[in-house]
Amino acid sequence: MAKSLSQDAISTILANPSPDSSSDIPEIIVQVLDLKLTGNRYTFNASDGKMKLRAIFPSNMSSEIITGSVQNKGIVRILDYTLNDIPNKSEKYLIVTKCEVVSPALETEIKAEVETEEHDTVLKKPKLENEARYEAKADVSSIILKPKQEIVSKSAAQIVHEQRTNMAPSSRMAMTRRVHPLVSLNPYQGNWMIKVRLTSKGNMRTYKNARGEGCVFNVELTDEDGTQIQATMFNEAARKFYEKFQLGKVYYISRGTLKVANKQFKTVQNDYEMTLNENSVVEEASNEETFIPETKFNFVPIDQLGPYVNGRELVDIIGVVQSVNPVSNIKRKIDNENIPKRDLIVADETKKTVVVSLWNELANNIGQELFDNADKSPIVAIKSLKVSDFQGVSLSTLGKSSVMINPDITEAKKLRSWYDSEGKGSSMASIGLGLSPSSKTGARSMYTDRVSLTHITSNPSLGDEKPAFFSIKAFVSLIRPEQAMWYRACKTCNKKVTEAVGSGYWCEGCQKNDEECNLRYIMVSKISDTRGEAWVSAFNEQAEKIVGCSADELDKLKSEQGDIDGYQKKLKEATWVPHLFKVSVTQNEYNNEKRQRITVRAVAPINFAEESRFLLEEIKKMRNPQ
């Protein structure tokens, strides 16, 4: 059965690059050609048999391609889209934000033939050469030869310009009023407008750098589909919009700019981040129907929380509540304010448990509800949790965290079914059990994810998407004595301080002078194992374990006592001592070149009994490979 494409589908898209709503879009059926993965998205050519247009599927549609639903040379019906300019080129890029599959992959590309009699485009299969000759002989007397119709090729930009010129002004205005879904935004778009709810608002912060002083604050915006993006405002824009943005309200936003998100600091799952300036437009969506964003989760199984420990990336979990503690009050050091806290233990299908600390209002409200219903083993889905190394692995809520009890989602139904059938009677173990023999040794996870240094150095792309964590057994082979090994730090917040006018030290974070400061390590050293070597960075707690004394003590040895030989001897004594290291691997950009950065997250001495057990397990795996 022949598959039909929409006649002049590409021309229809070019004539209406930003439809007001998906209901205004006519039927657009195209063939997917040259489908390939580019970065973290799939690009293709959309074809109507006569014209082609470069196109892209957003990252949230990758699963459709991976599962084989959308295939190369297959046919799809486009339900929603937007058309963007390609930078520095007179071309357009079609972003398909919603589609449905009409047909799986065909054997060939569909091409249209131009009929010279009716000047119509009809989608046909090419005739075989013998059939064409036979028909020509049979009808030779009735054929009137006409000049071949010349098809003039035009670029997408030319067609768009001609069609927009002929449009009525009201039509052009309607095109600019379309609300774009966040998933369709990218840095190469021109005008766009979004409708979003403010789901998180940061505090106004001040900064000081080489270019001067200023202020900045961040917000997190969520659209109706649950897609999130972080927006940042500096100086005039920050002062203009700080009071205007109110948590929970819905806004129309336009005239912002987008850039690729800094993966080290991003707080939401989006490839891009937004910057609003003083010319941006923020209009509250009052006196009209608003929406409650669909909460999207990216659940991490409890037994896979280890690599996220002490990292910047937040996690979502879903689990069955095993127990809930009464609320307690923790006195905050910075201002002696009492903060309510409530701990609960949750488990999942991995048969591992983890402690989750609810803070502030979550401890009193949701926490009390969980406390009252703990005997019913409710299911909780928690978004945006920080992973720390307290008790090996533990989780804490933040201001942006949200908790749902017995949510109506597939994962919750599956978890409930498992727990009722077998999980209730299973023995559970804490994810942190055995990972932290003591908080002082730093031996957490030192016998999991063990690799050699060459595994890291021979894979330059490690840590590109997110920090990668590994355990290593190695020696510190070199500590350069001439390097700047420490910095002056505030005694309250540990941030860097500068010498104040007159006397003392000024802390930008605490906004105060102090007569004294601490020295904190920021050390670079070379470590080696049996297969290779690498340079690593170590901060204060880890460097103290390597060197064997504090930065203040080492500074006194170097300066006050004038004992340079003693200083160098101390560093020499720290070399060629075996350690277990927990390291993170990230990518840093320097002079437009990506470089691998290895940071020591924990240091522990060799526990020979544990090391022997580890080696015996490795031997067993070699003898009995799976």
Side-chain angles (χ1 to χ4, degrees):
M1 174 182 171
K3 305 294 182 183
S4 297
L5 306 181
S6 297
Q7 182 175 326
D8 298 324
I10 302 303
S11 296
T12 302
I13 293 171
L14 294 174
N16 192 7
S18 297
D20 288 335
S21 66
S22 56
S23 60
D24 296 334
I25 299 175
E27 183 167 78
I28 299 175
I29 301 177
V30 298
Q31 187 175 22
V32 176
L33 301 176
D34 303 319
L35 180 65
K36 60 184 178 181
L37 180 63
T38 306
N40 64 341
R41 302 182 178 203
Y42 285 88
T43 59
F44 67 101
N45 284 326
S47 170
D48 63 5
K50 186 169 60 175
M51 294 178 64
K52 294 179 182 178
L53 185 62
R54 293 180 66 181
I56 187 170
F57 287 120
S59 54
N60 68 318
M61 292 187 62
S62 298
S63 59
E64 300 287 328
I65 300 158
I66 294 171
T67 58
S69 179
V70 176
Q71 299 177 348
N72 188 44
K73 294 184 180 177
I75 298 176
V76 297
R77 178 181 289 106
I78 297 176
L79 303 176
D80 198 11
Y81 67 87
T82 187
L83 198 64
N84 295 337
D85 293 301
I86 298 179
N88 304 320
K89 295 183 180 180
S90 59
E91 296 181 60
K92 296 284 181 179
Y93 227 131
L94 173 67
I95 299 180
V96 179
T97 53
K98 190 177 181 182
C99 71
E100 64 180 20
V101 177
V102 175
S103 167
L106 305 179
E107 293 183 2
T108 58
E109 174 187 345
I110 297 177
K111 293 184 179 179
E113 294 180 3
V114 178
E115 289 189 357
T116 58
E117 289 285 338
E118 300 178 6
H119 306 290
D120 248 345
T121 302
V122 181
L123 301 179
K124 299 178 179 179
K125 297 175 83 174
K127 294 180 180 179
L128 297 176
E129 186 179 355
N130 291 338
E131 293 176 353
R133 285 178 181 172
Y134 177 80
E135 288 184 15
K137 288 178 181 178
D139 299 327
V140 68
S141 59
S142 61
I143 290 178
I144 300 174
L145 298 178
K146 294 184 179 180
K148 185 178 180 181
Q149 181 181 2
E150 184 178 356
I151 301 176
V152 180
S153 61
K154 297 179 181 180
S155 71
Q158 288 174 316
I159 295 172
V160 169
H161 177 71
E162 291 175 3
Q163 290 167 336
R164 283 190 171 179
T165 303
N166 295 328
M167 281 183 183
S170 58
S171 300
R172 292 198 297 269
M173 180 62 71
M175 288 165 51
T176 64
R177 292 294 301 172
R178 187 206 178 191
V179 173
H180 288 69
L182 285 178
V183 72
S184 72
L185 298 186
N186 65 70
Y188 314 121
Q189 277 177 270
N191 296 327
W192 47 259
M193 176 181 288
I194 57 175
K195 186 178 181 180
V196 289
R197 184 178 289 274
L198 187 72
T199 50
S200 179
K201 179 181 177 181
N203 295 322
M204 182 78 78
R205 309 186 305 278
T206 58
Y207 65 88
K208 185 177 182 181
N209 55 30
R211 292 178 291 181
E213 300 180 1
C215 58
V216 60
F217 85 100
N218 305 85
V219 295
E220 289 177 12
L221 309 170
T222 309
D223 69 3
E224 191 171 6
D225 297 329
T227 306
Q228 293 184 300
I229 195 167
Q230 179 176 293
T232 305
M233 285 141 281
F234 293 91
N235 303 323
E236 290 301 321
R239 287 185 281 269
K240 177 180 179 181
F241 295 121
Y242 186 75
E243 296 299 331
K244 188 176 184 67
F245 274 126
Q246 299 296 319
L247 196 63
K249 290 188 176 181
V250 176
Y251 299 90
Y252 287 104
I253 300 176
S254 59
R255 296 186 186 175
T257 59
L258 290 102
K259 65 177 181 179
V260 176
N262 186 329
K263 293 174 182 175
Q264 187 176 0
F265 300 108
K266 72 176 185 177
T267 60
V268 298
Q269 294 295 322
N270 200 311
D271 296 332
Y272 304 112
E273 59 186 8
M274 184 182 298
T275 301
L276 301 179
N277 56 46
E278 57 268 28
N279 296 319
S280 298
V281 177
V282 176
E283 179 185 352
E284 184 181 345
S286 55
N287 302 324
E288 64 174 271
E289 184 180 354
T290 57
F291 61 89
I292 302 297
E294 175 190 348
T295 303
K296 288 186 177 180
F297 293 96
N298 185 23
F299 294 121
V300 176
I302 292 177
D303 68 344
Q304 295 179 24
L305 290 172
Y308 297 90
V309 170
N310 293 333
R312 292 183 179 272
E313 190 169 356
L314 305 180
V315 302
D316 307 339
I317 68 156
I318 186 169
V320 182
V321 176
Q322 302 288 283
S323 64
V324 184
N325 291 344
V327 69
S328 60
N329 288 302
I330 305 298
K331 184 170 287 188
R332 191 161 54 190
K333 290 181 180 180
I334 192 170
D335 55 8
N336 289 326
E337 183 181 351
N338 287 323
I339 307 297
K341 175 193 175 188
R342 190 190 298 268
D343 289 341
L344 54 136
I345 297 176
V346 298
D348 67 3
E349 289 178 273
T350 64
K351 297 183 181 179
K352 294 291 184 180
T353 64
V354 67
V355 175
V356 181
S357 297
L358 305 180
W359 293 87
N360 296 307
E361 291 302 314
L362 288 176
N364 290 325
N365 300 335
I366 293 287
Q368 187 61 45
E369 185 177 346
L370 289 171
F371 184 79
D372 295 338
N373 295 280
D375 57 328
K376 299 176 183 177
S377 301
I379 289 176
V380 290
I382 311 178
K383 188 169 186 62
S384 300
L385 288 164
K386 181 174 177 58
V387 189
S388 69
D389 58 3
F390 181 68
Q391 297 180 354
V393 180
S394 62
L395 302 171
S396 295
T397 60
L398 304 172
K400 68 177 70 177
S401 303
S402 59
V403 182
M404 296 177 65
I405 301 176
N406 295 321
D408 186 17
I409 56 177
T410 304
E411 293 88 346
K413 295 174 183 176
K414 182 181 176 184
L415 186 60
R416 172 57 66 194
S417 175
W418 166 80
Y419 187 75
D420 291 342
S421 61
E422 62 170 297
K424 189 182 298 184
S426 301
S427 60
M428 305 285 182
S430 169
I431 178 63
L433 188 63
L435 296 185
S436 180
S438 75
S439 59
K440 296 180 180 180
T441 65
R444 198 199 72 74
S445 286
M446 294 301 184
Y447 297 96
T448 59
D449 303 318
R450 176 76 69 85
V451 299
S452 64
L453 283 171
T454 53
H455 174 82
I456 298 174
T457 56
S458 62
N459 289 276
S461 62
L462 277 176
D464 191 19
E465 289 296 325
K466 65 180 181 180
F469 291 80
F470 301 101
S471 297
I472 297 168
K473 177 186 174 184
F475 298 83
V476 176
S477 54
L478 175 64
I479 303 174
R480 287 177 175 168
E482 72 278 7
Q483 68 174 302
M485 293 181 60
W486 48 72
Y487 68 96
R488 292 192 181 107
C490 173
K491 285 191 170 185
T492 304
C493 68
N494 292 330
K495 290 185 178 179
K496 187 176 180 179
V497 296
T498 56
E499 291 188 14
V501 178
S503 64
Y505 302 93
W506 170 254
C507 175
E508 187 68 28
C510 298
Q511 292 287 302
K512 68 175 183 178
N513 264 351
D514 204 326
E515 289 301 317
E516 295 180 349
C517 66
N518 288 332
L519 296 182
R520 290 178 65 83
Y521 281 114
I522 178 168
M523 185 177 76
V524 176
S525 58
K526 182 185 286 187
I527 62 173
S528 306
D529 64 7
T530 56
R531 296 188 183 181
E533 58 185 17
W535 289 98
V536 299
S537 300
F539 296 99
N540 194 60
E541 288 77 10
Q542 292 73 39
E544 282 185 356
K545 294 172 184 176
I546 294 172
V547 178
C549 66
S550 68
D552 285 302
E553 293 170 335
L554 195 61
D555 179 57
K556 288 178 182 178
L557 192 64
K558 181 181 181 181
S559 57
E560 292 184 8
Q561 298 176 13
D563 190 358
I564 298 298
D565 291 337
Y567 164 75
Q568 293 183 342
K569 182 181 177 182
K570 187 68 177 176
L571 295 183
K572 190 173 182 180
E573 288 174 352
T575 60
W576 300 112
V577 177
H579 294 284
L580 297 179
F581 296 97
K582 188 72 176 177
V583 300
S584 66
V585 184
T586 56
Q587 294 286 335
N588 280 13
E589 194 167 304
Y590 182 75
N591 287 339
N592 295 323
E593 180 183 350
K594 280 192 173 182
R595 293 184 179 181
Q596 199 175 64
R597 181 174 181 177
I598 306 173
T599 304
V600 176
R601 298 297 180 183
V603 182
I606 301 292
N607 182 322
F608 292 102
E610 288 292 335
E611 188 69 17
S612 298
R613 279 192 283 269
F614 171 78
L615 293 174
L616 288 171
E617 286 296 321
E618 291 298 300
I619 293 171
K620 190 183 294 184
K621 290 177 184 177
M622 293 170 66
R623 286 181 174 177
N624 303 300
Q626 296 296 325

